[in-house]
Amino acid sequence: MDMNRVKQIVSSPDDIRVCYHGQSVWIDGYDEAKRTATVHMRGRDHERHIVPVEELTEE
């Protein structure tokens, strides 16, 4: 995924399904300079992780 799409998803009112290594996640925020996103797993663990935006996929 690219940074522009991450920004669109974060600002969208729609529920857009995003995955990180096969796990469905919510994008909580992003760091454009570092090209990373802060995410947490949907439904269970709310621990946040910082991941490269290139490793996110849209379903």
Side-chain angles (χ1 to χ4, degrees):
M1 183 174 297
D2 68 26
M3 185 57 69
N4 287 332
R5 186 61 183 142
V6 169
K7 290 193 267 186
Q8 291 172 351
I9 291 170
V10 169
S11 65
S12 174
D14 298 327
D15 181 7
I16 300 169
R17 188 172 170 96
V18 175
C19 290
Y20 174 66
H21 293 278
Q23 298 292 318
S24 185
V25 298
W26 289 105
I27 301 175
D28 299 311
Y30 56 87
D31 183 326
E32 194 165 3
K34 293 181 181 177
R35 301 193 51 78
T36 59
T38 304
V39 302
H40 72 271
M41 302 298 170
R42 287 183 183 237
R44 42 177 211 253
D45 181 15
H46 291 283
E47 182 180 342
R48 287 173 169 70
H49 304 276
I50 298 172
V51 301
V53 296
E54 297 84 22
E55 294 182 22
L56 296 172
T57 58
E58 188 174 348
E59 304 243 328

